[in-house]
Amino acid sequence: MISENIRPLNGTFIQMVPMEAAHRAELTAILSNPLIWEFTWRKITSAAQVEQLMDTALSNKEKGHDLPFVMLDRSTGRIAGTSRIMHIDQTHRNAEIGCTWIAPEYWRTPVNTEGKALLLQHCFEELGLIRVNFTIVSGNLRSQRAIERIGATKEGLLRKHRITSEGTAVDNVLYSIIDEEWPGVKANLHYLLQEKYN
């Protein structure tokens, strides 16, 4: 079962630990910040909505559909954010990395870059996947630039892919990394972490 593959992933700046119910209070406090949702299709405005997101993540973890992680700042032990491997298709060896939400004080730090590095390494080197994709709201240019910077390939536009809480249909941009590209992406991620943050 895929959930048996969830274990802590250790980096230099962060440790990614499997999401548990014990993380609920701290994650709820972090994810209640409206800045996190400014460029997403979700508009989270209450602690109850954050708790529903966690309930879904933990339920999907139990079913083996998703591997949700919490990002811990290794220097302080504080939660910096969360991300997950989701929509796992073992038959076709595909998955998506998404639901990446990071506290604003950790923006422009190594947290997101190292988080992607750890999750991609787990996907390609431990789960044996051959494709990992990312979907980003078309208006979120900052996230698009970030995923392009690590070496993901832009595949196209998923038109009217998500409906916001206000009922507006939004487009998503689709990116992917495939297994043959992983060694180059891995080297680039290592370079970015060393060059920018050391």
Side-chain angles (χ1 to χ4, degrees):
M1 189 175 181
I2 199 77
S3 58
E4 294 170 358
N5 287 295
I6 191 165
R7 60 166 184 77
L9 309 177
N10 297 308
T12 302
F13 303 99
I14 62 170
Q15 180 187 46
M16 302 192 73
V17 300
M19 183 188 289
E20 303 289 349
H23 298 125
R24 185 180 299 275
E26 193 174 352
L27 264 180
T28 299
I30 291 167
L31 298 182
S32 294
N33 188 325
L35 289 175
I36 293 172
W37 310 103
E38 186 176 2
F39 296 106
T40 72
W41 61 269
R42 289 180 179 86
K43 296 304 171 205
I44 301 300
T45 57
S46 71
Q49 289 173 307
V50 175
E51 293 203 12
Q52 181 58 53
L53 290 177
M54 282 201 66
D55 289 343
T56 300
L58 293 171
S59 173
N60 286 344
K61 174 187 167 188
E62 284 298 309
K63 294 173 186 173
H65 299 162
D66 294 356
L67 299 179
F69 291 89
V70 169
M71 302 163 157
L72 298 180
D73 180 345
R74 291 186 72 117
S75 65
T76 65
R78 291 174 52 214
I79 293 177
T82 181
S83 190
R84 74 188 72 159
I85 303 166
M86 51 199 252
H87 309 312
I88 298 166
D89 182 341
Q90 292 178 284
T91 301
H92 300 290
R93 297 166 61 194
N94 280 228
E96 179 170 354
I97 291 176
C99 294
T100 302
W101 305 311
I102 297 170
E105 59 263 38
Y106 287 98
W107 294 356
R108 298 176 188 84
T109 74
V111 167
N112 190 38
T113 302
E114 188 164 60
K116 292 291 188 294
L118 291 169
L119 291 178
L120 285 165
Q121 182 170 344
H122 192 66
C123 285
F124 288 115
E125 299 181 15
E126 297 186 47
L127 301 181
L129 301 184
I130 61 172
R131 171 191 166 91
V132 176
N133 63 268
F134 309 82
T135 53
I136 302 171
V137 172
S138 61
N140 190 345
L141 300 180
R142 182 179 64 204
S143 290
Q144 289 176 50
R145 285 193 295 268
I147 207 68
E148 289 167 3
R149 186 171 60 102
I150 71 170
T153 296
K154 185 175 180 179
E155 293 189 338
L157 189 69
L158 302 172
R159 298 180 300 165
K160 294 191 172 182
H161 190 230
R162 293 285 185 269
I163 297 177
T164 68
S165 53
E166 294 89 10
T168 304
V170 296
D171 301 336
N172 273 337
V173 182
L174 178 65
Y175 291 87
S176 71
I177 297 168
I178 58 174
D179 53 348
E180 296 98 317
E181 297 165 344
W182 168 237
V185 170
K186 182 178 182 179
N188 183 47
L189 283 162
H190 179 74
Y191 169 77
L192 290 171
L193 287 165
Q194 290 291 112
E195 181 75 11
K196 191 167 183 181
Y197 301 110
N198 282 322

